[in-house]
């Protein structure tokens, strides 16, 4: 059960988040120089080809929920890469001397304008790339733009504030080891075994500030499933936070440091598997970007909890009671899990095992529409109307299925759904995948 009062407090805290940011005092020349340095550094061969390959066909606009929700041409996906493109054409393309005659150099005003474009109107969902005839990876270019803006001190204040907190105190929204310990004690008081700081374990479970503050039932559910499977597992207070505000804000050194905390803890306990909570961006942050200090791949498996649960059901190790007959469920694929990570079949295996009337959205899976709140956009106050315009597409898609419940496996999506449902008085139930599965464990509802 979500405590609505806590959700309200959380929303109120987000409204004041930007006030905690400490923007760096830089001159315009310094901002420009820093942003351009990152653009140059990050424009490798693949990105250079992407920047030169666009044929302005406009297909990507059809795929982007921000463009579709507003019909505003400034939100055309390929336009979000214009500054990168201009710097590349003028400085490093084969015809740079000619481009310098016709292509205007970028300015700090451009950087300010693009801040809203690449943070507020791009969730890095990757849907545009699915339809681009040239295969252009716009989400990656947008991520490079975020890195350039972050380096220039121009990340949105809300993301800057949380990134500074995570880089400095190591907490997110004030949640550190002491708050985790309190949550663990509260769950233990409910009779759920939650190992904390075990020196050795096969499985390291990672959680997130959102679960600690709002969705403790999701953490409890994961614990109950791991206990039911008889696994040796633990949370680690020195490395439990899946949320990576380095990735979201564009601060690469923080992104690596936040992942390193998790990696170091997993190595210290000899974990063979790290299970990530219901958190979309945690998946690319650790699974795709995570590396050992020497650059080698991680020596353990990284799984999203929805992926883990689906696999366990598929191979027969986890059996649940089908107890939800007659209920009509649909599933929202989090972009970072499905489109970027290929986690498509496993959540569906789990939902079908619930015995429900499962209805796919159209389109679905890797072409499913983004909810509009990912990649930190949920935290940017001024982006609320844009998020809502994007959400309308998602809402129509879900309503067309006739489902009474939409299942999610990402806390950010869940928050965005909850916010939009509150605004629209939307009656559809929003449910966590892992919580639904834990409810159907065959025995001992709490152990
Ligand atoms: S779909 Fe691809 S080629 Fe067409 S406008 Fe968009 S980025 Fe350019
Ligand atoms: S990655 Fe997603 S949000 Fe960003 S421009 Fe492409 S479709 Fe739009």
């Amino acid at each position: 059960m979500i405590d609505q009062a806590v959700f309200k407090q959380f929303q109120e805290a987000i409204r004041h988040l930007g006030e905690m940011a400490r923007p760096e005092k830089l001159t315009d020349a310094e901002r420009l120089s820093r942003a351009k340095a990152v653009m140059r550094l990050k424009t490798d061969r693949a990105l250079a080809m992407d920047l030169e390959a666009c044929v302005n066909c406009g297909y990507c606009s059809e795929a982007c929920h921000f463009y579709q929700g507003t019909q505003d041409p400034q939100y055309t996906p390929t336009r979000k890469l214009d500054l990168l493109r201009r710097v590349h054409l003028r400085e490093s393309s084969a015809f740079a001397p000619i481009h310098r005659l016709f292509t205007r150099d970028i300015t700090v005003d451009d950087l300010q304008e693009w801040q809203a474009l690449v943070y507020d109107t791009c969730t890095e969902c990757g849907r545009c790339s699915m339809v681009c005839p040239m295969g252009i990876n716009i989400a990656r270019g947008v991520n490079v733009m975020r890195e350039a803006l972050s380096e220039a001190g121009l990340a949105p204040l809300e993301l800057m504030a949380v990134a500074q907190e995570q880089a400095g105190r190591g907490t997110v929204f004030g949640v550190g080891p002491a708050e985790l310990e309190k949550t663990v004690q509260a769950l233990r008081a409910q009779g759920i075994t939650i190992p904390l700081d075990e020196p050795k374990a096969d499985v390291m479970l990672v959680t997130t500030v959102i679960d600690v503050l709002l969705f403790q039932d999701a953490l409890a559910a994961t614990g109950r499933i791991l206990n039911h499977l008889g696994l040796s597992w633990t949370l680690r207070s020195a490395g439990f936070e899946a949320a990576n505000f380095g990735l979201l804000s564009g601060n690469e050194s923080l992104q690596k440091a936040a992942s390193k905390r998790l990696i170091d803890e997993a190595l210290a306990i000899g974990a063979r598997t790290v299970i990530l909570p219901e958190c979309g961006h945690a998946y690319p942050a650790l699974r795709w970007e995570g590396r050992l200090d020497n650059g080698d791949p991680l020596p353990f498996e990284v799984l999203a909890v929805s992926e883990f649960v689906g696999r366990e059901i598929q191979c027969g190790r986890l059996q649940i009671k089908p107890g939800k007959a007659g209920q009509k469920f649909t599933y929202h694929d989090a972009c970072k899990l499905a489109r970027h990570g290929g986690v498509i079949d496993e959540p569906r295996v789990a939902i079908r095992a619930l015995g429900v009337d499962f209805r796919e959205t159209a389109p679905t899976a890797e072409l499913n529409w983004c909810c509009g709140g990912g990649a930190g956009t949920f935290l940017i106050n001024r982006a609320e109307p844009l998020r809502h315009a994007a959400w309308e597409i998602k809402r129509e898609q879900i309503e067309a299925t006739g489902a009474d419940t939409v299942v999610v496996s990402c806390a950010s999506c869940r928050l965005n759904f909850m916010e939009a449902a509150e605004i629209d008085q939307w009656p559809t139930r929003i449910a966590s995948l892992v919580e639904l599965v834990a409810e159907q464990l065959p025995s001992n509802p709490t152990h």
Side-chain angles (χ1 to χ4, degrees), residues 53-61 77-78 128 131-136 138:
C54 179
V55 292
N56 286 313
C57 65
Y59 287 148
C60 52
S61 300
T78 185
C128 46
V131 302
C132 173
M134 308 305 288
I136 294 171
I138 289 173

Side-chain angles (χ1 to χ4, degrees), residues 16-258:
H16 296 282
L17 210 48
E19 295 160 23
M20 271 135 39
R22 299 180 312 279
E24 230 179 319
K25 288 192 176 58
L26 296 168
T27 64
D28 284 359
E30 285 168 331
R31 290 190 198 282
L32 201 53
S33 150
R34 284 186 179 198
K36 278 182 158 185
V38 172
M39 291 183 197
R40 282 186 210 109
L41 183 72
K42 290 298 172 90
T43 303
D44 55 16
R45 202 183 169 94
L47 182 52
M49 282 171 66
D50 278 353
L51 294 172
E52 292 188 28
C54 179
V55 292
N56 286 313
C57 65
Y59 287 148
C60 52
S61 300
E62 304 297 315
C64 178
H65 44 294
F66 289 109
Y67 176 83
Q68 283 301 322
T70 60
Q71 295 293 308
D72 187 334
Q74 70 168 318
Y75 303 141
T76 303
T78 185
R79 184 168 179 269
K80 295 169 190 173
L81 306 188
D82 262 7
L83 301 192
L84 263 182
R85 193 176 288 118
R86 271 153 61 186
V87 170
H88 166 66
L89 291 178
R90 284 176 53 91
E91 300 190 12
S92 49
S93 66
F95 299 104
I98 297 170
H99 281 294
R100 280 198 283 276
L101 297 175
F102 303 105
T103 308
R104 185 171 65 79
D105 201 1
I106 67 167
T107 65
V108 168
D109 287 346
D110 291 328
L111 294 177
Q112 301 273 13
E113 186 184 340
W114 256 256
Q115 184 202 79
L117 286 183
V118 300
Y119 286 100
D120 303 23
T121 75
C122 184
T123 47
E124 299 181 5
C125 76
R127 195 166 191 271
C128 46
S129 300
M130 302 290 296
V131 302
C132 173
M134 308 305 288
I136 294 171
N137 189 344
I138 289 173
R140 186 191 166 216
V142 165
N143 196 256
V144 169
M145 275 301 299
R146 286 187 177 204
E147 289 183 19
L149 289 168
S150 173
E151 187 63 21
L154 292 173
L157 292 178
E158 295 92 335
L159 297 185
M160 187 188 290
V162 191
Q164 286 171 339
E165 181 197 342
Q166 191 169 27
R169 301 212 313 262
T171 59
V172 176
F173 295 116
V175 171
E179 290 71 24
L180 177 70
E181 161 99 40
K182 246 169 47 191
T183 302
V184 167
Q185 294 301 351
L187 296 180
R188 285 175 180 167
Q190 295 171 31
I192 305 165
T193 305
I194 304 283
L196 178 64
D197 288 331
E198 293 295 327
K200 291 284 166 206
D202 291 337
V203 175
M204 184 172 96
L205 177 65
V206 176
T207 185
T208 167
V209 55
I210 308 293
D211 284 0
V212 170
L213 292 177
L214 275 172
F215 303 141
Q216 286 188 7
D217 287 353
L219 174 57
T222 308
R224 286 171 51 201
I225 292 168
L226 294 173
N227 292 338
H228 180 80
L229 288 166
L231 293 172
S232 131
W233 69 280
T234 188
L235 285 160
R236 294 281 291 185
S237 50
F240 70 89
E241 182 54 75
N244 189 321
F245 277 84
L247 186 74
L248 299 179
S249 68
N251 181 333
E252 193 182 14
S253 58
L254 170 58
Q255 177 201 320
K256 289 186 173 153

